[in-house]
Amino acid sequence: MFNGGGNMAGMMKKVQKMQSEMKKMQDELKRKTIEVSAGGGAVKIVMDGEKQVQNLVIAPDAVDPEDVEMLQDLISAAFNEATKKVDEMMAQEMGKLTSGLGLPPGLL
Protein backbone atom coordinates (compact mmCIF):
# COMPACT_ATOMS: atom_id res chain seq x y z
CA MET A 1 0.00 0.00 0.00
CA PHE A 2 2.80 2.46 0.92
CA ASN A 3 5.66 2.35 -1.53
CA GLY A 4 7.89 4.58 0.60
CA GLY A 5 7.96 2.28 3.65
CA GLY A 6 11.69 1.69 3.43
CA ASN A 7 12.32 5.41 3.17
CA MET A 8 10.22 6.03 6.26
CA ALA A 9 12.25 3.52 8.29
CA GLY A 10 15.46 5.18 7.10
CA MET A 11 14.09 8.59 8.02
CA MET A 12 13.13 7.38 11.49
CA LYS A 13 16.67 6.07 12.02
CA LYS A 14 18.06 9.46 10.98
CA VAL A 15 15.71 11.25 13.36
CA GLN A 16 16.65 8.94 16.23
CA LYS A 17 20.35 9.45 15.51
CA MET A 18 19.86 13.21 15.39
CA GLN A 19 17.99 13.13 18.70
CA SER A 20 20.83 11.19 20.27
CA GLU A 21 23.41 13.61 18.87
CA MET A 22 21.32 16.57 20.02
CA LYS A 23 21.15 15.21 23.57
CA LYS A 24 24.91 14.68 23.58
CA MET A 25 25.48 18.20 22.24
CA GLN A 26 23.18 19.72 24.87
CA ASP A 27 25.04 17.89 27.62
CA GLU A 28 28.35 19.19 26.27
CA LEU A 29 27.02 22.74 25.98
CA LYS A 30 25.86 22.68 29.60
CA ARG A 31 29.49 22.26 30.63
CA LYS A 32 30.82 25.03 28.38
CA THR A 33 31.18 28.52 29.77
CA ILE A 34 31.47 31.98 28.33
CA GLU A 35 32.97 35.05 29.96
CA VAL A 36 31.90 38.62 29.28
CA SER A 37 32.70 41.94 30.85
CA ALA A 38 31.14 45.38 31.01
CA GLY A 39 32.49 48.77 31.88
CA GLY A 40 35.97 48.02 30.59
CA GLY A 41 36.27 45.00 32.87
CA ALA A 42 34.61 46.57 35.91
CA VAL A 43 32.10 43.69 35.95
CA LYS A 44 32.82 40.20 34.67
CA ILE A 45 30.38 37.31 34.44
CA VAL A 46 31.07 33.66 33.66
CA MET A 47 27.93 31.81 32.55
CA ASP A 48 27.43 28.18 31.61
CA GLY A 49 25.34 26.69 28.82
CA GLU A 50 22.33 26.46 31.12
CA LYS A 51 22.51 30.23 31.66
CA GLN A 52 23.62 29.79 35.25
CA VAL A 53 26.07 32.38 36.52
CA GLN A 54 29.19 30.51 37.62
CA ASN A 55 31.18 33.55 38.65
CA LEU A 56 30.62 37.28 39.09
CA VAL A 57 33.57 39.60 39.66
CA ILE A 58 33.15 43.27 40.48
CA ALA A 59 36.25 45.45 40.46
CA PRO A 60 36.61 47.36 43.74
CA ASP A 61 36.80 50.71 41.93
CA ALA A 62 33.39 49.98 40.35
CA VAL A 63 31.77 50.12 43.80
CA ASP A 64 30.80 53.72 44.44
CA PRO A 65 28.24 54.18 47.22
CA GLU A 66 27.29 57.49 45.60
CA ASP A 67 26.50 55.83 42.25
CA VAL A 68 24.91 52.44 42.88
CA GLU A 69 22.85 52.79 39.71
CA MET A 70 26.01 52.67 37.58
CA LEU A 71 27.02 49.35 39.15
CA GLN A 72 23.51 47.99 38.63
CA ASP A 73 23.67 49.02 34.97
CA LEU A 74 27.07 47.34 34.52
CA ILE A 75 25.84 44.10 36.09
CA SER A 76 22.70 44.14 33.93
CA ALA A 77 24.73 44.80 30.78
CA ALA A 78 27.17 41.99 31.56
CA PHE A 79 24.36 39.55 32.38
CA ASN A 80 22.44 40.43 29.19
CA GLU A 81 25.57 40.04 27.06
CA ALA A 82 26.38 36.68 28.67
CA THR A 83 22.85 35.42 28.01
CA LYS A 84 23.09 36.57 24.38
CA LYS A 85 26.45 34.82 23.94
CA VAL A 86 25.09 31.55 25.36
CA ASP A 87 22.13 31.75 22.96
CA GLU A 88 24.52 32.35 20.05
CA MET A 89 26.71 29.43 21.13
CA MET A 90 23.67 27.14 21.31
CA ALA A 91 22.35 28.29 17.92
CA GLN A 92 25.74 27.79 16.28
CA GLU A 93 26.10 24.27 17.64
CA MET A 94 22.50 23.41 16.75
CA GLY A 95 23.13 24.67 13.22
CA LYS A 96 26.07 22.31 12.87
CA LEU A 97 23.89 19.41 13.91
CA THR A 98 20.91 20.18 11.69
CA SER A 99 22.67 21.62 8.63
CA GLY A 100 22.41 18.40 6.62
CA LEU A 101 18.70 17.94 7.15
CA GLY A 102 17.49 20.63 4.77
CA LEU A 103 14.94 21.90 7.27
CA PRO A 104 13.52 25.41 6.97
CA PRO A 105 15.07 27.96 9.38
CA GLY A 106 13.43 28.04 12.81
CA LEU A 107 11.91 24.56 12.56
CA LEU A 108 14.09 23.12 15.33
Side-chain angles (χ1 to χ4, degrees), residues 7-105:
N7 290 340
M8 182 62 92
M11 178 67 127
M12 289 303 293
K13 284 185 180 185
K14 286 183 182 179
V15 168
Q16 289 172 342
K17 181 180 179 193
M18 186 186 74
Q19 286 176 329
S20 174
E21 290 174 1
M22 191 177 302
K23 173 74 170 113
K24 181 180 174 186
M25 179 200 67
Q26 287 172 334
D27 290 343
E28 289 173 7
L29 286 173
K30 288 178 185 179
R31 292 187 294 271
K32 287 188 177 184
T33 60
I34 57 97
E35 181 177 323
V36 298
S37 63
V43 174
K44 294 180 185 176
I45 290 181
V46 176
M47 184 178 283
D48 67 22
E50 291 185 296
K51 297 183 183 175
Q52 298 295 306
V53 174
Q54 298 300 310
N55 195 16
L56 169 64
V57 178
I58 301 171
D61 60 342
V63 181
D64 179 358
E66 301 297 320
D67 194 4
V68 174
E69 288 179 6
M70 174 63 93
L71 181 57
Q72 292 169 339
D73 289 344
L74 291 174
I75 293 170
S76 293
F79 182 82
N80 290 337
E81 181 67 16
T83 302
K84 179 181 167 188
K85 294 271 186 191
V86 169
D87 287 342
E88 290 171 356
M89 177 178 67
M90 299 283 254
Q92 182 179 8
E93 293 299 316
M94 187 65 72
K96 289 177 189 176
L97 185 64
T98 60
S99 64
L101 295 178
L103 297 173

